[in-house]
Amino acid sequence: MSEYRLFSAMFIKILLTVVLFGSVHSDRTDFAYNGFTNADLILGDLATVTHNGLLRLTNYTDTQKGRAFYKAPLHFKNSSTSNSTLSFSTTFISAIVPENPNFHGHGLVFVISPSFQFPGSFPAQFFGVFNSSNSGDPTNHIFAVEHDTGKDSGYRDVDANHIGIDINGLVSISSAPAAYFADGLWNNFSLSSGSPVQTWIEYNGVDMLLTVTVAPVKVPKPQRPLLSAAVDLASVFLDPMYVGFSSATSQLVDCHYILGWSYKMNGQAQALDLSSLPALPRITPKPKTKVLTIGLPIITGFLTLAAVSAAMFIVRRKIKYSEVVEDWEREYGPHRFRYKDLFTATKGFREKELLGIGGFGRVYRGILPSSKIEVAVKKVSHDSKQGMKEFVAEIVSLGRMRHRNLVQLLGYCRRKGELLLVYDYLPNGSLDKYLFDDKSTLNWNQRFNILKGVASGLLYLHEEWEQIVLHRDVKASNVLLDRNLNGKLGDFGLARLYDHGAGPRTTHIVGTFGYMAPELIQTRKVTTSSDVFAFGVFMLEVAAGKRPVHASTVSGEELVLTEWVFRCWKRGSILESSDPKLGGDYIKDEMEMVLKLGLLCSHPVAEARPRMREVLQILDGDAPSTELVSWNILERSEHYESLTSCYNFSMDFGFSQTTSVVESLLSGGR
């Protein structure tokens, strides 16, 4: 009987070994493509396989997406222990070829995802995988390795040429500038040079260690990886998952190619055969042949004849869609929109598409005919003979900015006496309607988040971008809200730029009454401190729910918001100035801090105002706020009372008549 039990135990042990071995063996999946002719792939959007076997994810079409995935999902969970993740290894060779070598758009990502489709995803910096709302959502269950050729400070990108490991969003858990290790040194190289780049991604499911190695295709695999991160993918991966690639273009376009791809579960991916890879398209133009040289005069004559015969038709169309295009504008390429496209997008600038009318123009909603992207088009009057070249150059520079709390300026168009600025469209419109419209309102938490967001955007403009940007028109009507009611500072039509370390230039006094710093009348030089002043008024506007100049509910007289809140503070009842629509439903310490910080930022003496970095630190709770803010307001209260009285004077006699009064007060020192 004992021998029978011993035999049974041995049989069961052998059977379990066979089952476990079979389960592990079944998880071994591998494939290798040296070119993609007849490859088993799922292609989406712009992705296609070219005649010579290149996998092309995108072409030179703006604001589009492209993706390609292996035909079937793969099992990443060990069938014997569902809580552990199998090891995997992959290598691929990619190339990013910009349309214009001087400008490049965004890169591509290797993706492991529960699905090969990403509904609601955005192009550009979102790679066709995420959008502004779901980036960072743990329910995405997405792992990606990005080859990013754009710098987005809102997502903490290290530079505009880096590799990053992403889990469920665009903020990388580990990233570094593109480089490979050889001869004891790190050697940097460009991801968007048009030359092939090889990437090795390896994950050890036992040690939970992920490594990423990159190098130009002719360089052997470096011994040291660029990125190494301890990450447990068991909570990220579902079972099964799809593996593949995704990329997208913006107004600046690139072609994204995959030349070869090898993949293996529980083992080392097969090395790619470099000699069998398909060739990339020729980047430089082919030399002219003798046939072309001889035939060119004939072709030119034919084209000239055709142009003359069609001249009347072209002239008639140009009258309708005529634009102002000078030679110096040719270099701006994707930043310049055709008037015809904007005319079509806004349905001829119909009144039904009108979003609003401001002091500097009318704003229309539109849908671009080629990309179907929603935009907002602002029409501004201009004099094309006065500084237009410098102004447009600044507009194009502003179009390169990337921050989650700034409305993206996509480009411009000029036609006759009009300048048209094209922005991202935000469906919830401007903040002022939520503050001053009785039909809708925002709770305190939403308002506080908007203030921190706009402060972050202004800090980026003042200190973190490649140049200093002076917005010059910070106010509630220029803060737009996205689908999640996050605040984005927009309308850069009055913005001015200058280099770090240089001083601002003398300029005309522009802006909105109630938000303009008093020193502008004396110095005529806008500075970052002028923007801080306007932001201070904006903070009071959000907290108090009142415009910078408003009528008293008791006497009906005109009150200046900064002076009214200051008086409430002096008599020890600053919370009385909070918005009655909140019904007292707010965090008292936060409300008091915002009101006091608003007073300090809108201080009439420029030197008393903090920098935006200090403002954001106080709003984030990273700096002691109440004592510092209260002391600075109290220290210069005499100047505050004297200077704020100028606003009452200006309402009675006109803004220009206050110049001598303010200048005399400022010249008295502090």
Side-chain angles (χ1 to χ4, degrees):
M1 187 68 177
S2 60
E3 292 179 354
Y4 174 76
R5 289 179 178 175
L6 179 60
F7 175 77
S8 299
M10 290 178 63
F11 177 77
I12 292 172
K13 185 175 181 180
I14 293 171
L15 181 62
L16 287 173
T17 302
V18 172
V19 171
L20 289 174
F21 177 79
S23 67
V24 172
H25 181 73
S26 66
D27 289 326
R28 295 176 67 89
T29 301
D30 64 281
F31 54 84
Y33 298 120
N34 294 293
F36 295 90
T37 301
N38 300 322
D40 293 323
L41 299 178
I42 302 172
L43 304 179
D45 294 319
L46 292 181
T48 186
V49 175
T50 65
H51 69 280
N52 67 332
L54 280 171
L55 172 56
R56 187 179 65 201
L57 297 175
T58 65
N59 55 29
Y60 296 132
T61 305
D62 63 82
T63 56
Q64 294 295 315
K65 300 173 284 186
R67 62 184 184 279
F69 283 81
Y70 183 62
K71 64 176 180 179
L74 306 180
H75 292 282
F76 283 83
K77 295 296 182 69
N78 194 323
S79 57
S80 60
T81 56
S82 59
N83 290 328
S84 64
T85 301
L86 297 175
S87 301
F88 64 88
S89 169
T90 187
T91 182
F92 59 89
I93 295 176
S94 60
I96 301 174
V97 184
E99 182 180 38
N100 185 334
N102 298 318
F103 300 97
H104 54 78
H106 299 274
L108 58 86
V109 288
F110 170 78
V111 186
I112 301 179
S113 167
S115 173
F116 57 83
Q117 295 180 324
F118 305 98
S121 63
F122 290 172
Q125 69 266 34
F126 297 95
F127 301 113
V129 177
F130 302 102
N131 59 45
S132 58
S133 301
N134 70 4
S135 179
D137 188 342
T139 63
N140 290 333
H141 294 286
I142 292 176
F143 164 82
V145 174
E146 63 178 44
H147 292 48
D148 197 351
T149 55
K151 181 178 180 180
D152 191 327
S153 298
Y155 294 108
R156 300 199 287 274
D157 289 344
V158 294
D159 65 10
N161 183 65
H162 65 273
I163 306 294
I165 300 172
D166 299 342
I167 303 293
N168 295 321
L170 293 171
V171 178
S172 300
I173 63 170
S174 178
S175 64
Y180 65 94
F181 191 80
D183 300 326
L185 298 172
W186 285 104
N187 302 274
N188 296 322
F189 67 95
S190 172
L191 295 171
S192 57
S193 65
S195 299
V197 174
Q198 186 159 9
T199 304
W200 296 265
I201 303 171
E202 296 161 311
Y203 180 68
N204 187 319
V206 177
D207 298 333
M208 292 184 289
L209 179 66
L210 177 74
T211 61
V212 180
T213 309
V214 293
V217 73
K218 294 183 180 179
V219 176
K221 181 183 178 182
Q223 295 300 312
R224 184 181 297 183
L226 176 64
L227 300 177
S228 181
V231 54
D232 183 5
L233 294 179
S235 61
V236 179
F237 286 170
L238 302 177
D239 203 38
M241 301 279 278
Y242 286 88
V243 296
F245 304 90
S246 182
S247 66
T249 59
S250 61
Q251 292 293 322
L252 298 173
V253 294
D254 304 313
C255 267
H256 299 90
Y257 294 100
I258 307 296
L259 289 75
W261 181 24
S262 175
Y263 187 93
K264 188 166 188 175
M265 299 293 298
N266 285 329
Q268 188 67 39
Q270 178 181 330
L272 294 170
D273 183 0
L274 302 185
S275 64
S276 301
L277 298 177
L280 288 168
R282 182 187 295 271
I283 299 175
T284 56
K286 296 181 180 180
K288 294 182 179 180
T289 66
K290 292 183 178 180
V291 174
L292 182 60
T293 305
I294 297 172
L296 186 58
I298 300 175
I299 296 173
T300 303
F302 175 78
L303 292 177
T304 303
L305 181 62
V308 171
S309 64
M312 293 304 298
F313 175 76
I314 295 174
V315 168
R316 289 171 60 188
R317 288 182 62 84
K318 280 194 172 183
I319 291 174
K320 182 176 182 180
Y321 301 119
S322 61
E323 304 176 28
V324 179
V325 184
E326 298 183 42
D327 291 340
W328 52 265
E329 293 183 78
R330 308 295 181 186
E331 62 185 281
Y332 295 137
H335 291 285
R336 198 185 199 289
F337 286 83
R338 294 194 308 165
Y339 179 77
K340 178 183 177 181
D341 290 341
L342 300 183
F343 187 89
T344 303
T346 58
K347 299 177 182 178
F349 297 99
R350 288 199 318 184
E351 289 297 313
K352 287 185 178 180
E353 304 302 322
L354 184 65
L355 295 174
I357 302 175
F360 300 97
R362 301 163 69 90
V363 184
Y364 296 85
R365 174 185 173 273
I367 300 178
L368 295 177
S370 59
S371 61
K372 305 303 179 185
I373 298 294
E374 283 189 292
V375 294
V377 182
K378 184 169 187 177
K379 299 177 72 173
V380 184
S381 298
H382 78 82
D383 182 350
S384 61
K385 296 181 180 179
Q386 297 183 2
M388 181 51 59
K389 182 176 180 179
E390 292 78 9
F391 181 68
V392 170
E394 291 188 349
I395 290 295
V396 173
S397 295
L398 292 168
R400 298 199 307 270
M401 295 189 307
R402 296 290 186 274
H403 193 278
R404 67 175 67 191
N405 295 111
L406 298 179
V407 179
Q408 181 66 46
L409 177 58
L410 302 176
Y412 77 101
C413 175
R414 289 200 297 142
R415 180 178 186 266
K416 298 180 181 178
E418 292 177 333
L419 176 70
L420 295 93
L421 303 179
V422 184
Y423 297 88
D424 274 341
Y425 172 74
L426 297 179
N428 279 319
S430 60
L431 173 62
D432 59 341
K433 75 175 183 181
Y434 289 89
L435 295 177
F436 309 122
D437 189 344
D438 294 334
K439 296 180 181 179
S440 57
T441 188
L442 299 169
N443 61 42
W444 174 245
N445 185 54
Q446 291 167 329
R447 299 189 193 199
F448 193 63
N449 285 336
I450 290 169
L451 288 175
K452 290 197 293 185
V454 176
S456 177
L458 264 181
L459 173 60
Y460 174 78
L461 296 179
H462 288 180
E463 300 183 23
E464 296 178 348
W465 195 52
E466 61 191 44
Q467 289 182 285
I468 297 174
V469 181
L470 306 176
H471 187 277
R472 303 206 299 173
D473 204 18
V474 179
K475 58 182 178 180
S477 60
N478 283 341
V479 173
L480 305 182
L481 305 181
D482 65 13
R483 288 180 173 83
N484 296 320
L485 297 177
N486 296 309
K488 295 176 181 282
L489 182 60
D491 199 341
F492 292 89
L494 299 181
R496 287 294 179 268
L497 292 75
Y498 62 95
D499 294 331
H500 290 277
R505 294 168 294 179
T506 303
T507 183
H508 299 292
I509 298 179
V510 296
T512 303
F513 176 72
Y515 300 89
M516 290 187 289
E519 70 270 10
L520 291 177
I521 302 171
Q522 181 191 42
T523 65
R524 304 183 71 83
K525 288 185 179 180
V526 64
T527 65
T528 54
S529 183
S530 310
D531 276 353
V532 172
F533 181 93
F535 181 75
V537 178
F538 169 69
M539 292 181 71
L540 300 180
E541 196 175 9
V542 172
K546 292 179 172 58
R547 299 186 186 276
V549 179
H550 62 279
S552 170
T553 56
V554 179
S555 62
E557 65 175 325
E558 292 286 314
L559 296 177
V560 175
L561 179 59
T562 52
E563 184 177 3
W564 176 65
V565 176
F566 180 73
R567 289 175 180 173
C568 291
W569 173 78
K570 283 205 67 176
R571 64 173 182 263
S573 55
I574 194 169
L575 291 180
E576 289 182 7
S577 60
S578 63
D579 191 348
K581 288 195 291 185
L582 293 172
D585 186 13
Y586 51 77
I587 300 174
K588 291 185 178 179
D589 289 343
E590 284 185 354
M591 175 64 80
E592 183 176 349
M593 179 264 287
V594 167
L595 289 168
K596 289 181 177 179
L597 186 57
L599 287 177
L600 180 59
C601 289
S602 59
H603 200 292
V605 179
E607 292 79 3
R609 301 171 201 148
R611 295 181 298 116
M612 284 310 304
R613 185 172 298 279
E614 297 167 331
V615 172
L616 188 58
Q617 287 174 344
I618 294 174
L619 290 174
D620 284 337
D622 296 333
S625 58
T626 306
E627 295 80 5
L628 174 64
V629 173
S630 298
W631 174 255
N632 280 308
I633 298 173
L634 180 63
E635 185 184 18
R636 296 173 176 84
S637 60
E638 180 180 352
H639 285 276
Y640 203 107
E641 289 180 307
S642 300
L643 285 170
T644 51
S645 65
C646 293
Y647 286 112
N648 290 329
F649 184 83
S650 68
M651 284 186 290
D652 293 334
F653 298 96
F655 184 78
S656 62
Q657 293 177 319
T658 66
T659 303
S660 59
V661 179
V662 176
E663 287 181 348
S664 63
L665 288 169
L666 286 170
S667 63
R670 283 189 282 167

